[in-house]
Amino acid sequence: MGRLMPSPTGIVLKEKESWSEFRKALRKDDREIFDELFSYAKFHATAIGESNKFYPMEAILLSMLIEMKKEINNLKSQLKNGT
């Protein structure tokens, strides 16, 4: 019997592919950021797969935001410590 549900990473990759025309319309430097944001989502692929959302893009966007917030917190800490 085959798999009924795509893998968590497959969910992220499928969603990224569905945005391929949008990505193509971006400037090169924006495409790099687009790709980076989806790489953030891959860090949370298991959580995305477990969310059982009808619209997986919601969980993907939240994963991207989590990683961005972690980066902001890290930069704030570096500024505070003077490094």
Side-chain angles (χ1 to χ4, degrees):
M1 183 179 262
R3 294 178 79 158
L4 298 176
M5 297 293 294
S7 70
T9 303
I11 292 169
V12 175
L13 294 175
K14 182 179 178 185
E15 201 62 37
K16 182 180 179 184
E17 178 61 30
S18 75
W19 288 89
S20 64
E21 293 301 317
F22 174 83
R23 184 187 180 279
K24 287 178 192 175
L26 294 171
R27 294 185 188 116
K28 183 181 180 203
D29 55 332
D30 292 339
R31 274 180 279 178
E32 292 170 5
I33 293 169
F34 176 91
D35 292 339
E36 186 178 359
L37 289 172
F38 268 93
S39 73
Y40 288 167
K42 288 181 192 176
F43 291 139
H44 301 279
T46 302
I48 292 166
E50 292 295 320
S51 70
N52 295 321
K53 292 283 188 185
F54 186 71
Y55 300 106
M57 194 63 186
E58 293 171 340
I60 289 170
L61 289 171
L62 186 55
S63 296
M64 292 172 181
L65 289 171
I66 289 168
E67 287 301 312
M68 291 175 70
K69 180 60 176 154
K70 285 168 47 178
E71 284 190 15
I72 290 168
N73 289 348
N74 185 32
L75 290 170
K76 283 182 178 179
S77 177
Q78 287 178 19
L79 284 172
K80 185 177 182 180
N81 296 329
T83 56

